[in-house]
Amino acid sequence: MRQYLLIFMLSISVLILPFFHANAVVAQADDSLAPEAISGAAAILIDGTSGDPLFAKNPHERLYPASITKIATGIYAIENGNLADVVTVSKRARNEEGTRVYLAEGERVTLEKLVYGLLMNSGNDAATAIAEHLAGSVEQFSERLNEYLREKTGVEQTHFTNAHGLHDPAHYTTAADMAMITQYALKNPIFRKIVATKTYPWEGKEWQTVLVNHNKMLWRYEGTTGVKNGFTDQARNTLVVSAKRGDTELIAVTMKAQSSEMAYQDVTKMLDYSFSRYETQRVATAGETFTAEAVDRYGRPLQYYAEHDLYVAAPRGETYRKTLTADGQLLIRFSGGTEYLRPLKAKQLPPIQQLRADQQVPAASKQQVAKYAIFVIWLALNAFLVFYLYARRSRKRQLLRKRYDHSSVDRRF
C-alpha cells in the first residue's frame, strides 16, 4: 500500500512541477521591462515631478507625432491667449481634413471651447482656428510655437509646421521631447483640468453632441490624469498618458505603434513597471544650504543652496545619502546603486571690507602676519622685563654704594 501511495505522489509531483516552474519563469521575466516588450518604435517613461527617465526605447529618434502635437498647441493657447476671446472660424479651418468638431465657416466660438475641442476630440479644425486667432496664420503660429517650446521646455529635436499634427515631412519630434513638453504642460492647472475631462457638452452651429475624451486610459487605468492620442498613416499610433498614485505622477509616451490597442498596452506596461518600483521623493527643500570642503579666497567654506524643492524618482524601499560634488551639485546615491545629480546655486557670502582692493592679503598670509605679530609682542614684553629687572638691580646697587660711602665718612670723623 505504501508503495502505491509513493508512486501516486511521485506522479502528481511530475505533473504539477512544470506548472510551478513555468510560473517562476514568468515571474522572473516580469522583473524587468525590456525594450522588445514595447511595440512602439520609440517610447519613454519619466517621473512627472523630477523628469527622471525610468524607461526608454529609442527616445531620441525623430518621428512624426500626429495629434499629440495638440498637447503643445493647447498649452501655448492657454498661456498666450485669453480663453474668453471669441474666435471667428475661417474657411481654411472649416475645411481641415481628419478629425473635427465640425466648425462652420464664420462661426464664433470662445477660445476656451476650441481648446476643449482640440484636446478632447482632437479637432483639426479647432487647431487651425486657434492658430489663426493667435498668430494670424498657421505658418506664423508654427514659428512662434517652436520658439515657445525651446524656451519653456528646452526641447532640441522638435519642429512643428502646423497646430494639429497632420502629416508634413518637416513636422517631427521625439518621445523624449514629447515627455518634456507634457511635463511642462501639466504644471498648468487649466491644461490639467481639460485633459482629465471625460465628457463635455458641445453646442455648435453644425454639431450638437457630448464630446467624449479620445484618451481611453481615463476609463481603463487607475489614476490616469491625461493626456492625448494620435494617428496618421505615416506616424501610425502615438499616445501620451499621465497617471498619478499617491504623490507619484508618471508620464508615458509611445510613438509609431502598429495599432491603437498596442499603444495602450505599451503605456500600461511602462506605468505598471514604474509604479511598482519607484516613488517620487523630495530630497531637498527650497533654501536648504549645503557646505563644501573647499574655501574661498578669505578661507571661508563655500556654500550652495537649493533654489526650489528638489525631487527624485526613488527606488522603493531603498535609503539614500546626500553629498556635495566638487562643482557644487547635490549627489543623491541610493543603497541599490542608483544615483541622481541635482543642480544647486552658489550662495553669495558677505564681502570682507578692506582699505584698498589692491592690498588684499590672502587668508593664509593674514594668519602668518598674526603669528609674527604675537611673537614680536611676546619678544618685546620679555625684553622689557629683562631691561626692567636689570635697571632695578642697577639702581639697588647704586643705593647700596651710596650708603656704604656715607658710613665710611662717618667712621673717619
Side-chain angles (χ1 to χ4, degrees), residues 87-125:
V87 179
T88 301
V89 179
S90 70
K91 182 178 181 179
R92 179 175 179 177
R94 161 65 180 82
N95 293 321
E96 280 293 2
E97 300 176 354
T99 309
R100 299 168 53 212
V101 286
Y102 301 100
L103 298 172
E105 183 179 353
E107 184 176 356
R108 291 168 60 79
V109 189
T110 65
L111 181 60
E112 180 182 33
K113 185 174 179 179
L114 289 175
V115 175
Y116 271 93
L118 172 87
L119 293 172
M120 288 185 62
N121 203 69
S122 203
N124 295 332
D125 48 357

Side-chain angles (χ1 to χ4, degrees), residues 220-240:
R220 289 187 180 185
Y221 196 82
E222 177 190 352
T224 297
T225 54
V227 264
K228 188 77 186 70
N229 63 331
F231 173 83
T232 64
D233 290 337
Q234 297 81 2
R236 305 309 297 166
N237 292 272
T238 60
L239 180 62
V240 181

Side-chain angles (χ1 to χ4, degrees), residues 162-217:
N162 57 58
H164 39 59
L166 288 173
H167 181 68
D168 184 321
H171 188 97
Y172 57 80
T173 188
T174 67
D177 277 8
M178 281 309 308
M180 292 168 66
I181 292 169
T182 303
Q183 182 190 18
Y184 175 79
L186 286 171
K187 294 177 183 178
N188 186 291
I190 298 174
F191 179 93
R192 181 178 284 274
K193 176 185 175 183
I194 294 174
V195 295
T197 301
K198 291 184 176 181
T199 59
Y200 183 81
W202 185 270
E203 295 293 332
K205 189 174 182 179
E206 293 186 357
W207 199 37
Q208 294 81 40
T209 188
V210 174
L211 300 184
V212 177
N213 199 311
H214 287 193
N215 180 9
K216 296 178 183 177
M217 291 291 279

Side-chain angles (χ1 to χ4, degrees), residues 393-412:
R393 186 175 181 183
S394 298
R395 188 176 179 184
K396 189 174 182 181
R397 283 182 177 179
Q398 289 176 1
L399 289 172
L400 288 173
R401 186 176 293 126
K402 286 180 180 180
R403 289 177 183 176
Y404 176 77
D405 290 343
H406 284 300
S407 61
S408 298
V409 171
D410 290 340
R411 280 197 299 269
R412 277 185 298 196

Side-chain angles (χ1 to χ4, degrees), residues 42-44 46 57-63 68 173-181 240 253-255:
I44 194 170
I46 69 169
K57 175 184 177 181
N58 303 323
H60 303 295
E61 181 180 350
R62 287 185 179 182
L63 294 169
I68 58 176
T173 188
T174 67
D177 277 8
M178 281 309 308
M180 292 168 66
I181 292 169
V240 181
V253 181
T254 186
M255 299 183 70

Side-chain angles (χ1 to χ4, degrees), residues 66-83:
S67 284
I68 58 176
T69 300
K70 296 182 175 90
I71 296 173
T73 300
I75 186 59
Y76 182 92
I78 292 168
E79 291 196 346
N80 293 276
N82 182 347
L83 295 180

